[in-house]
Amino acid sequence: MSVAAATEAFLDVRNLKVSFPTEDGVVSAVDGVDFSVRKGRTLAIVGESGSGKSVTAQAIMGLVNRKTASLSGEVFLDGEELVTARPEQVRSLRGKRMAMIFQDPLSSLHPFYSIGKQLVEAVRVHQDVSKDVALKQAREMLDRVGIPSPDRRLKDYPHNLSGGMRQRVMIAMALLNSPELLIADEPTTALDVTVQAQIIDLLRDLQKEFGTAIVLITHDLGVVADLADDVVVMYGGRIVERGAIDDIYYRPEMPYTLGLLGSVPRMSAGETSRLEPIPGQPPSLINLPKGCVFRPRCPYHELVPGNRCDDERPDLLAVTPDHAVRCHLEPGQRREIATERLGAYSGQANAPATTGTAGMEEK
Amino acid sequence: MTAVDESGTSEVLRREDALLRVDRVQKYFPVTGGGVLKRHVGDVKAVEKISFDIVPGETLGIVGESGCGKSTAGRTVMKLLDPTGGKIEFEGRDITHLSRKEMVPLRREMQMIFQDPYSSLNPRHTVGAIISAPFKVQGVKPARGVQAEVQDIMARVGLNPEHINRYPNEFSGGQRQRIGIARAIALRPKLIVCDEPVSALDVSIQAQVVNLLEDLQDEFQLAYIFIAHDLSVVRHISDRIAVMYLGRIMEIADSEKIYESPRHPYTHALTSAVPLPDPKAERARERILLEGDLPSPIDPPSGCVFRTRCPKAQQRCADEVPEVREFAPGHFGACHFPEEKHLIPVSVA
Amino acid sequence: MGAYIVRRVIAMILMLIAMSMIVFLLFAALPADPARLTCGQRCTPQVVEANRVRLGLDKPIYEQYATFVKGIFTGRTYGSGTASFDCAAPCLGYSFERGEEVTDLVATHFPITLQLVLGAFVFWIVVGVSVGIIAALRRGKWQDRLIMGLSLVGYSFPTFFIGLLFIFFIQIRWGLIGFDGYVPFVEDPTGWFTGLLLPWITLALVYAAFYARLTRNQMLETLGEDYIRTARSKGLPERTVIGKHGLRAGLTPIVTAAGLDLSLLLGGVVITEAVFNLPGLGRLSVDSVLQADLPVITATVLIAAGFVIVANLIVDILYAVIDPRVRLV
């Protein structure tokens, strides 16, 4: 059921599940997630708090504590399976073939060590080189990510730099060993909008230059529109829709995706129309319902006969070979709903064409 | 040379029926530092001569990036901080130098909503105590009794009135924000300053709270000063927008004008930097990228403070502080070389 | 950084001066008449008056203070004419009760306290911190619970109780250690060691318990920080993550606590010295209070307070060395 041809994918995640026992019960943070990413492409994982997107990223990197959490499924990095691999093996890949950058660069960098020391450390853990050689690599990378006066910056501490600089340092640190996969967890959320634009541009340039596969985790639909090639929408630990970027923005079918698009204020809207938020709150991940996890907030569950939305968990089914949705509604119904709502959001009379497209399966 | 007559009022203040008039208000924070003895070496010029007015029922959005002074501006015009200079008038009355005690009756009319729903509510007070506090402080005794009023307000903001005796930690982020809103509207103020009220919330919850604020505005004829860094949200909710940079207002105009025809290069760069949830538009657009970092507010650049990052900066920008001018009716800004009036394509048909 | 240190040193000097004045004034304000205390029962008013003049106690208080301070740097002379005697610098006063210069008294008593405290310090830091780290790493498991349980018991017991327990069992009951008390190292190294062993452990136990808990909590807090996650994501081995990234951040509060605790103890470990009959600074202080020997009391209070003030400075500087963010202040 993967989106891209499995043989070409650099990262291939299959039926990944992560759960943690807590005082209140077992939290199913990630409940059966599949996706893949090819080199040079960007996959965005979109979701709100509690969707499981961050935990998915950490599970891929092997950062989930196996003593407290239970992990199942398969994660293939260039064909090598990581879930069953020895922790030492995964550790040797971390920071080398796969790297991660985090949301808040101030708290993610060690406050007591200089930038130079932290960068040098990142080099020397995977390359058997002297400090001087490592320092040289660090300096070059700082320059590459657009930090002026890199020699001075190497001696600085994280708190001496601005937010944008710090995030560039984090990116530099992640790229030092030329990883083939970069996971970016909310990389621009804590940054100003002009700085965000710079960082997005930087990531795009670096991807072009190094051919890195990027997994971008975010809730910001604008950033996704800017960077991503493919999108996976997560809710309640599951993927509820996935597809190429144009599919998700112009032909979304899952009511949750529609709800997200409706919650975002549009600068393009002529007369500022009212926002259409999703009622209710994100779900608790303890005791997930046996039916569709979005049912409590879905305005359309009554259109499905019987109580299917309550009783039966929908499968992720393909609408086109690249576009899949997890919903009990009939495809025709979904498209109708989507047309109506998207028309309202963009304030345009002409909604994007959704009917009659070739290659769609009828359920 | 400014268009401002030092003895008169700022050019920008045009409306006679203004609820709040802010005239060249300044807020400086003294800095001690350097060397062995910590002397007063300078000031952080957090807010430098900002002017704007608001009429009842209107929303003024204040946007800017971190360090631009928008939060400080919000607190200063509400007199939560004492202004270092300038004049503030509320309903025609000069409140600039009123003492804390003298401000108390005015607090009924001006309220504030804060950013962080997790730290702005006292965790030891019940929801009922939080929302009823304004009644106690102002000595207001409603006919039906305070509790009935409080429950009414709770229902109005979308909270279950039966939860009146619960504590903040039993609520989600969005609900806590509603509690803060309930407290703010309890005494039907005329003006509410909202300082980043939705930034800390999930996208779907943000939309709920924004809708709530709009509904309340319609119902109670509230004026809002909406401070945020998310331009899309500000655009959505505001009638007029002021764009701040390093403590100064660079441009102030009606919302559509700010987005469709920004005249100040900073506004233009800001609006072009916002990523749109529209892949085709994103692929098509030209983005203006600003170089460099924010200068220090202790030692701002001479002349126009934006010149160090402005793609159009010239010598005149360093020599001369640009005066506030009216580019179009109701559209004011301070720039020697404003952008040409044109429509920015923000959607692709 | 330099400016930071200079500022702190100046503050310290000012504090020492202020503290010495306050102590001096405090004792001057006491109801006891220091001249009266200079001789015993057989004192006649004339002798008391003569002593008052001899000791300069008839001078105004600020003059007395000035003479006292001067004495610390250049020595002073008590009395005049044939009945005068010199007190060499640094002169901390003269104890009539004992007939000795206070400085000499301190010089004989302080080294014992110093040895006691330093030995206990080494013990409690090594044991307390390592045990705390183990508890943090094995959080929730039996090692953690055991350590935390024992440490709770450990610092609930007062030192004298632990000390007496040791004496009772190890010395009296089982006769493992003799009753020689303190033996100087130069005389008999083994005897020195066995003489101090029980006092060391007694004093250290309570502090070790406290530091174990403190370390555990600090480490747990540090290990939850984002930069630890970053360190792991770089592919660093776990022992580097904890040993280098975790420890340095986690131990800063412990360094400061240790510095301050050490300084407080150096001023005299009253109870342990009393229980084990060690002639240290603590004993000297207590004895002089009981004997109302004002000059000695004044001096020991000044010394103890001085240690704390200097330790504060050292700790502040150390903190700034470890945590670069502090240097801005």
Side-chain angles (χ1 to χ4, degrees), chain C residues 28-43:
Chain C
L30 282 179
D33 179 3
R36 177 73 189 74
L37 296 169
T38 56
C39 54
Q41 299 274 32
R42 287 174 275 112
C43 255

Side-chain angles (χ1 to χ4, degrees), chain A residues 47-50 162 164-165 189 191-198 200-201 204 219-223 225-226 228 245-246 249-251 256 259-282 297 348 350, chain B residues 64-67 70 172 175 201-208 210-212 214-215 229-233 235-237 256 259-260 266 269-283 285 287-293 309 346-349:
Chain A
E48 300 180 291
S49 44
S162 68
M165 290 283 190
T189 306
L191 304 174
D192 281 324
V193 86
T194 48
V195 179
Q196 175 175 277
Q198 293 171 352
I200 292 176
D201 237 42
R204 218 195 333 259
H219 62 265
D220 187 331
L221 292 174
V223 174
D226 207 0
I245 183 132
D246 286 1
Y249 279 83
Y250 301 120
R251 295 175 284 278
Y256 176 61
L260 276 184
L261 289 168
S263 300
V264 178
R266 304 281 172 133
M267 283 180 14
S268 53
E271 236 336 282
T272 48
S273 45
R274 203 171 151 74
L275 296 174
E276 286 192 36
I278 309 170
Q281 277 145 81
R297 300 172 80 188
Q348 292 167 336
N350 49 316
Chain B
E65 301 179 291
S66 39
K70 53 191 193 295
S172 69
Q175 288 171 320
L201 305 174
D202 273 324
V203 168
S204 54
I205 311 291
Q206 276 192 25
Q208 292 175 12
V210 167
N211 282 356
L212 172 64
E214 288 183 315
D215 291 340
H229 64 267
D230 185 340
L231 280 85
S232 316
V233 173
R235 151 72 162 133
H236 177 84
I237 197 177
E256 300 105 60
Y259 287 105
E260 286 164 18
Y266 178 59
L270 210 56
T271 48
S272 90
V274 177
L276 302 169
D278 187 337
K280 291 199 183 101
E282 281 295 299
R283 289 194 280 264
R285 83 204 287 204
R287 187 164 271 151
I288 299 168
L289 284 183
L290 289 180
E291 301 279 318
D293 278 321
R309 302 174 76 192
V346 288
S347 66
V348 176

Side-chain angles (χ1 to χ4, degrees), chain B residues 86-305:
Chain B
K87 188 159 83 154
I88 306 171
E89 275 180 19
F90 187 75
E91 290 189 308
R93 179 179 166 199
D94 187 342
I95 64 170
T96 323
H97 302 292
L98 290 187
S99 69
R100 258 183 77 162
K101 206 152 159 256
E102 288 166 319
M103 278 299 295
V104 168
L106 279 164
R107 296 267 172 242
R108 270 190 82 158
E109 317 285 8
M110 305 199 253
Q111 278 294 318
M112 194 153 182
I113 300 172
F114 301 93
Q115 172 176 5
D116 186 354
Y118 292 95
S119 59
S120 59
L121 299 178
N122 189 328
R124 298 203 200 291
H125 290 172
T126 60
V127 170
I130 292 172
I131 303 176
S132 61
F135 290 99
K136 292 201 181 64
V137 168
Q138 293 286 338
V140 172
K141 293 181 177 33
R144 305 187 278 161
V146 175
Q147 172 147 335
E149 274 296 315
V150 169
Q151 287 182 307
D152 203 41
I153 295 170
M154 285 177 74
R156 190 63 205 76
V157 300
L159 293 167
N160 184 342
E162 287 169 28
H163 295 166
I164 191 171
N165 288 320
R166 290 200 183 173
Y167 288 90
N169 61 15
E170 300 177 62
F171 294 87
S172 69
Q175 288 171 320
R176 290 160 86 128
Q177 205 59 309
R178 292 173 195 266
I179 297 173
I181 293 172
R183 173 183 58 191
I185 62 165
L187 293 179
R188 307 281 186 271
K190 299 206 172 83
L191 170 70
I192 300 187
V193 175
C194 312
D195 190 355
E196 304 264 19
V198 295
S199 317
L201 305 174
D202 273 324
V203 168
S204 54
I205 311 291
Q206 276 192 25
Q208 292 175 12
V209 174
V210 167
N211 282 356
L212 172 64
L213 287 172
E214 288 183 315
D215 291 340
L216 291 172
Q217 181 173 47
D218 287 335
E219 188 174 332
F220 299 121
Q221 274 296 291
L222 299 165
Y224 289 143
I225 295 181
F226 195 92
I227 300 169
H229 64 267
D230 185 340
L231 280 85
S232 316
V233 173
V234 174
R235 151 72 162 133
H236 177 84
I237 197 177
S238 310
D239 299 305
R240 281 172 71 70
I241 295 179
V243 177
M244 283 186 73
Y245 182 83
L246 212 61
R248 294 152 178 79
I249 293 183
M250 295 280 126
E251 188 168 2
I252 179 168
D254 290 339
S255 312
E256 300 105 60
K257 294 286 177 298
I258 290 283
Y259 287 105
E260 286 164 18
S261 51
R263 306 304 296 276
H264 196 287
Y266 178 59
T267 313
H268 196 180
L270 210 56
T271 48
S272 90
V274 177
L276 302 169
D278 187 337
K280 291 199 183 101
E282 281 295 299
R283 289 194 280 264
R285 83 204 287 204
E286 288 282 316
R287 187 164 271 151
I288 299 168
L289 284 183
L290 289 180
E291 301 279 318
D293 278 321
L294 208 62
S296 154
I298 300 174
D299 190 19
S302 64
C304 174
V305 294

